[in-house]
Amino acid sequence: MSSIVAKLAKIQRYLQQEQIDGWLLYSFRDQNPIALSLVGLQHGGSRRWFLWIPAQGSPSWLIHAIESNSIVDVDPVLKGSVEKYVSWQELETQIPKLVKSAKRMLMEYSPENAIPYVSRVDAGMYELVKRVTGAEIVSSAEIVQEIEAVLSEEQLAGHRRAGDICLAAKDAAFAFIADRLRSGQGVTEVEGQQFVMDYFAQQGLAPLPCIVSVNRNAADPHYFPREHKYSPIQIGEVVLIDLWNRETNSPTDSFADCTWTAYCGTQTPPKVTEVFNVVARARDAAVQFIQSRLDAGQRVYGYEVDDVSRGVISDAGYGEYFIHRTGHSLGPTGHWIGVNIDNLETQDRRPLIPGVMFTIEPGIYMPEFNYDDSPTPKGLGIRSEINCFMHADRVEVTTLPVQTEVKALL
C-alpha cells in the first residue's frame, strides 16, 4: 500500500469514527502548508483551490480555470474529479456542490485560535464556507497531528543522532568557555555561539546559531546573542546554552532541541542550585505524569502536562517567573504541528499519541535576582530542556542524560 493510499485510508477512518462528512482543504498562495503537505505539493498556484476528502468515496477538486497545471503532480489517488470556476460568483455556487450535502466538515480552523499552528483558514473563508454550505466547521487539529506529526522510524533515528551531536556540542562549548576563563583570555556569548556553530559544521550538520546567554540575558527566554548585542561571559556568572539541529540529508529529518545551564566558577552558589532543583522537579514531574497515565491505560493531553509541571514551580513560589509553555511539538521544524505541552499561551487539548515528539522545558526567569553577594542583582535564567517520544505504552526521554545539577566549570 502506498503512503498516499494509507494516508487517505487513515483520514477516512477518522472521519467515519468522528461522524464527520469530509475534510475541506483550502489554500491561497501557499498560506496553508498543512494542505500542501497533505496533497504533496510544493506550491499550489496563485488562485484559491479546494480539495474535498469525503468520509467515503474519492476526493474531488475545485480550482480556478487558469490553474489547470497546479495539481498536475498530485498523486492519482488524490486527483479524483476536478471542477473549475472563473468568477467569485461561480466559486460560491461551486463550493456547496463540491461538499454535496455535508453537515459537518473539517478545515484548518482552531476555535478562538487555540492552536495557532493549525489556524490556516482565514476568517473570511470560514464565513464564506459556512454561509454557502450551512455546515458545521470542525477543527482538523487532531487528524493533522495523526497524519503529519507522527514520526517514522527513520525520522526518530535521525533525531537520536542529532540529539547526540547536540549534547556533545553543549559539552564541548562548556569546556571551551572554561578553558578561556582559566587562561584569562576572556570569552563572549557570541564566541560561545560561534563555537557551537563550528562544531555542528564539523559534524556535518548545518551551522545553526544557538542561544548562549548569561545572567540577566538568560532571564529573557528568547534572548539571542548577535554581533551588535552580546555580553562577556565572566567568572562568577551562570551561563545557559540552548541549541538545536537536525541531520541535513532530507527536509523531513527531525530536530533535537536541548537546554543546559552551568556556573562559571569553582562552586555553584546555593541559590542557583535551589532554583535549578525546582526546574528539574518540574521537568521530571511532567514525564512521570505522562507515564502514570499510560500505565493506567488513560489518554494524556498537552494542557494537563503543562499544569503538572507549572504546578511544581508555582508551589515552590516561582510561578510568576515561568512565562512560557512547558514544551512544544518537535519534528522536521523546531516547533512542529503536533501537540504542545501548553495550558498557558494556548490550551492544547490534543492527546499525546504514539509517534509524536515534543520538548519538556520548564524554566524560571528572574531579571533582578541576586544569587551571590554582588552589590547589584545579576539576574538569573534557568531552563532544563529534554526531548520526549511517545510509544504506545511509555514515554521515552531521547536526549539522555538529563541534567541533574548546575555544574561548576572551573
Side-chain angles (χ1 to χ4, degrees), residues 90-108:
E90 201 173 358
L91 174 66
E92 292 192 9
T93 60
Q94 288 279 45
I95 291 175
K97 295 177 182 177
L98 179 71
V99 304
K100 300 180 174 62
S101 57
K103 301 300 181 186
R104 301 182 76 215
M105 67 174 70
L106 297 180
M107 292 190 79
E108 279 67 77

Side-chain angles (χ1 to χ4, degrees), residues 168-180:
K170 171 266 302 178
D171 289 339
F174 281 143
F176 165 74
I177 292 168
D179 288 345
R180 280 291 192 91

Side-chain angles (χ1 to χ4, degrees), residues 1 107 112 219 237 247 298 311 316 331:
M1 181 183 292
M107 292 190 79
E112 299 184 1
E237 296 185 334
E247 293 187 317
Q298 300 173 338

